[in-house]
Structure formats: C-alpha cells, structure tokens
Amino acid sequence: MFHAACRICISDEKEAIEARLAQKMRYRTIAIEFVNTFDCNPHLLEQSIGNHAKKHLSKELTKEEKELLERIKN
C-alpha cells in the first residue's frame, strides 16, 4: 500500500511551521503565512499542517495524565 509522505515533514519550512505550532498558532494562520512555499491551496495546506501536528508531533501530557502515569508506575 502506498503512503504519501507528509508534505510538512519533507518541507524546508518544517522547523518554522513546528515553531508556530508550539506557539499554539491556528493552522489556518500558519497556512496563510506559508501558502506561497507549497504547491497547494491554503485549505489543503491547513489540513496538512493539522495532520502533521496530530500525527508527527509529540503530545505534551496534561497534569492529570502525568499524575495517572505516576500512580501506575508506583
């Protein structure tokens, strides 16, 4: 089965996009900023950024999740 590469992961702008994601910027705002760098429309780029964030970036645990993890360890 063929899986297309993540357009964000293979982009030269990956670090810049991830920096904006870390600042909790909206996907649409980031897409508008970088639309001229990618060969796609802003809506598709917004979806790609969202997919990248969900699938390729580590999720920071909430306080409750950290506490639960500690209880499980002990």
Side-chain angles (χ1 to χ4, degrees), residues 2-4 7 10 14 16-17 21 23-24 26 35-36 42 44-45 49 53 56 58 60 64-66 68:
F2 176 79
H3 293 282
R7 86 175 60 237
I10 62 174
K14 178 183 174 194
I17 290 171
L21 288 168
Q23 297 171 357
K24 308 291 186 201
R26 294 179 60 208
V35 72
N36 293 327
L44 180 58
L45 183 55
I49 291 168
H56 300 272
S58 60
E60 188 174 320
E64 292 81 17
E65 290 170 328
K66 290 176 185 177
L68 177 60

Side-chain angles (χ1 to χ4, degrees), residues 34-55:
F34 289 94
V35 72
N36 293 327
T37 305
F38 293 85
D39 188 23
C40 63
N41 68 47
H43 180 70
L44 180 58
L45 183 55
E46 179 182 358
Q47 289 180 326
S48 294
I49 291 168
N51 288 337
H52 176 76
K54 292 172 188 154
K55 295 178 181 178

